[in-house]
Amino acid sequence: MRTLVLPALIIGFSVVVIWASLQLDLSPPMIVGESMQPRVFPIVLMIINMGLAVALALQYRIAPPKQIRLEGRSTWGTIALFGVFFVLTVYVDMIIAIAATVFLMCLLWGERRLPVALAVSVLTPTTVFLLFDKVLQIRFPRGLFTNWYYG
């Protein structure tokens, strides 16, 4: 029964997010056109989240997890990197923040090949930026890189 607490919390959180998303007003057609309403995206994510929580509960039922030791340096370093990401996003640029955070996280979690960590830290924000800018047509907040790119 103890193993079902986490999946139940995930499902409960997902239901709350779905409820909150359903409270959003519909966007006029002139803003979203024929595309998806903004409230659909979090609902779809939470439905996927609930499906994964059910899969987790089933996995716990089949093979209960063994006792694990608490993580140390890498876990607390990752939490600190979230703070670094926030500061860089607010005061520098979100794309630069993603690149720096991904690079430092690669090193923190044990990647010893600097070219690989550098490639991941360049390709990840580039892909995210192009996906949002070109495919979804969503602009990032202004910063050093985005001011240069958007003009």
Side-chain angles (χ1 to χ4, degrees), residues 14-147:
S14 298
V15 167
V16 169
V17 170
I18 289 172
W19 175 82
S21 297
L22 289 173
Q23 305 307 311
L24 297 173
D25 293 332
L26 292 175
S27 296
M30 64 185 228
I31 293 176
V32 292
E34 300 299 319
S35 65
M36 171 171 56
Q37 288 287 323
R39 69 183 189 175
V40 172
F41 184 70
I43 292 172
V44 169
L45 283 180
M46 291 305 110
I47 289 171
I48 292 170
N49 201 24
M50 288 190 295
L52 291 172
V54 169
L56 179 65
L58 293 174
Q59 183 180 3
Y60 280 170
R61 180 72 92 181
I62 294 169
K66 298 178 180 86
Q67 188 70 21
I68 59 171
R69 65 176 181 81
L70 295 177
E71 293 293 330
R73 183 179 71 92
S74 56
T75 302
W76 290 109
T78 301
I79 293 169
L81 281 177
F82 287 140
V84 170
F85 175 76
F86 174 76
V87 170
L88 286 175
T89 297
V90 171
Y91 295 107
V92 180
D93 187 84
M94 183 178 280
I95 301 302
I96 295 170
I98 293 171
T101 305
V102 167
F103 180 74
L104 292 172
M105 199 169 291
C106 284
L107 298 179
L108 181 67
W109 282 88
E111 179 58 57
R112 298 195 190 284
R113 300 167 295 179
L114 289 180
V116 171
L118 189 61
V120 169
S121 69
V122 169
L123 290 174
T124 300
T126 302
T127 305
V128 168
F129 181 76
L130 291 175
L131 172 72
F132 275 81
D133 188 58
K134 300 296 183 192
V135 178
L136 300 174
Q137 297 179 348
I138 297 172
R139 288 184 155 214
F140 277 89
R142 291 295 185 154
L144 288 177
F145 173 77
T146 50
N147 277 342

